[in-house]
Amino acid sequence: MSSEMRTLQRARRKPMDIVLRLLVVAALVIDAIVHLQLAPGYQLAAPDGIGQGNLFRLEAAAALVVGLYVLVRGSRPAYAAALLVAGSAFVVVLLYRYVDIPAIGPIPSMYEPVWFFEKTLSAIAEGLGAVLAAVGFLRQRRGIRKRRR
């Protein structure tokens, strides 16, 4: 194992990096749990189609897989994936809350102009998860620059 690889592994074990990883994972898990709990009710509108419930299940699966990736690796690509998953979910929940977008092909119209506890919890977790993933990504990048000097 090269000395650069060992340095990178030690950097990922710093207490702040571990806390950051756990916070990103927690945000993704909250997002996944909320989406899995809401999915059956939203699928009723399109029981045989793609439906919002199935989209919720896909979001939950992506959040769980990426959360596991961040937990295990804590690398720049892991944080980038977390930023993509959490950030896109945050943008979508805000978009469909405030803009009435019609169905796009097989994707149903998901306009819902209200906030309720689960939706708010999910949005907060997604927003914080995206910000924390961006911080993790930048911290990893800064660490790589320091090692190259």
Side-chain angles (χ1 to χ4, degrees):
M1 179 181 290
S2 71
S3 64
E4 187 174 314
M5 185 63 97
R6 281 190 293 264
T7 304
L8 183 60
Q9 286 179 341
R10 273 189 237 111
R12 288 195 197 125
R13 286 190 225 131
K14 290 181 182 175
M16 181 56 104
D17 291 329
I18 293 169
V19 169
L20 184 61
R21 276 166 127 177
L22 292 175
L23 289 173
V24 171
V25 170
L28 290 168
V29 167
I30 290 168
D31 177 40
I33 289 170
V34 170
H35 279 88
L36 286 173
Q37 287 177 344
L38 294 176
Y42 281 94
Q43 190 59 34
L44 295 175
D48 295 329
I50 288 181
Q52 196 170 347
N54 287 334
L55 293 175
F56 276 22
R57 288 180 184 100
L58 289 173
E59 163 62 22
L64 290 174
V65 168
V66 169
L68 185 60
Y69 185 33
V70 170
L71 187 63
V72 171
R73 297 286 303 176
S75 61
R76 290 182 74 214
Y79 282 119
L83 176 59
L84 180 66
V85 170
S88 64
F90 182 68
V91 169
V92 168
V93 75
L94 289 180
L95 185 65
Y96 280 109
R97 164 54 179 92
Y98 295 107
V99 181
D100 187 3
I101 299 173
I104 302 170
I107 299 172
S109 173
M110 295 184 280
Y111 179 62
E112 186 176 50
V114 296
W115 287 105
F116 52 92
F117 177 75
E118 291 88 351
K119 184 176 184 177
T120 304
L121 178 63
S122 177
I124 290 170
E126 292 158 356
L128 284 175
V131 169
L132 292 169
V135 168
F137 181 82
L138 293 174
R139 282 179 60 88
Q140 291 295 324
R141 183 174 177 194
R142 187 176 63 210
I144 289 171
R145 281 188 193 157
K146 283 182 182 176
R147 283 188 291 281
R148 288 185 182 166
R149 290 183 188 169

